[in-house]
Amino acid sequence: MAAYSKADLERRMAGAVEALKHDLQGLRTGRASTSLLDPVTVEVYGAHMPLVQVATVSVPEPRMISVQVWDKSNVGPVDKAIRSAGLGLNPIVDGQTLRLPIPDLTEERRKELAKLASKYAENARVAARNVRRDGMDSLKADEKKGEFGEDERKRHEAEVQKLTDSTIAEIDAAAASKEKEILGK
């Protein structure tokens, strides 16, 4: 049985792009987004839970996030979790609702976020190249087993390289778009 699977390589490379897009969504650009609170975990009921499991998160205004805590006794732990998450957000408590105003970004913070976006993009490129390497290795192994000849292996290698190039171009486009959004250009 052949180890090479073009569909598997496509799926894995698409996964690298999706992971990058998810990471980039978490970078704050001065606009409110529920994904900003994805990394927040709250210690309630003796366990650490994601914020979305103890509250409803919404965006009522472009620069405001609203967190409606379901259980009144969890308001304090949710407030503490958001403050200690290192997101630079300071909740305003109003009963069971926490309002999170999104502050303006300074030029220094914008540059830091742009560097972080570049780092995320480089990690995604490395992941795509690792998938390419795995594909090339499986092609060579299949050729050794006699699954196909050298000409067919070279044709498949060209397909893998073409897939890698298109994936890296997609990663670069996503990163450039996010950097442009962050820097406000």
Side-chain angles (χ1 to χ4, degrees), residues 76-144:
V78 168
D79 179 40
K80 181 181 174 189
I82 292 171
R83 289 179 191 275
S84 65
L87 300 172
L89 300 173
N90 292 315
I92 299 168
V93 180
D94 181 19
Q96 284 183 244
T97 303
L98 285 83
R99 285 193 285 283
L100 307 165
I102 307 298
D104 288 331
L105 291 176
T106 63
E107 187 63 27
E108 181 181 316
R109 181 68 178 142
R110 287 178 188 273
K111 288 179 181 177
E112 288 175 19
L113 289 173
K115 284 181 185 178
L116 191 55
S118 295
K119 179 183 166 199
Y120 288 162
E122 185 56 34
N123 290 343
R125 285 186 210 100
V126 168
R129 290 184 195 119
N130 286 340
V131 172
R132 177 188 61 192
R133 184 196 62 226
D134 293 346
M136 297 293 192
D137 290 349
S138 63
L139 284 170
K140 289 174 185 169
D142 286 350
E143 182 187 12
K144 277 188 176 179

Side-chain angles (χ1 to χ4, degrees), residues 23-107:
D23 288 344
L24 291 178
Q25 281 179 347
L27 293 180
R28 185 160 52 99
T29 58
R31 286 192 299 263
S33 169
T34 58
S35 63
L36 290 175
L37 298 178
D38 284 350
V40 177
T41 57
V42 184
E43 187 173 349
V44 290
Y45 310 121
H48 289 276
M49 304 172 93
L51 179 62
V52 295
Q53 290 184 3
V54 296
T56 302
V57 180
S58 63
V59 181
E61 300 173 26
R63 299 182 52 82
M64 178 77 68
I65 299 175
S66 175
V67 179
Q68 179 68 40
V69 182
W70 301 327
D71 185 352
K72 193 183 293 187
S73 65
N74 291 337
V75 172
V78 168
D79 179 40
K80 181 181 174 189
I82 292 171
R83 289 179 191 275
S84 65
L87 300 172
L89 300 173
N90 292 315
I92 299 168
V93 180
D94 181 19
Q96 284 183 244
T97 303
L98 285 83
R99 285 193 285 283
L100 307 165
I102 307 298
D104 288 331
L105 291 176
T106 63
E107 187 63 27

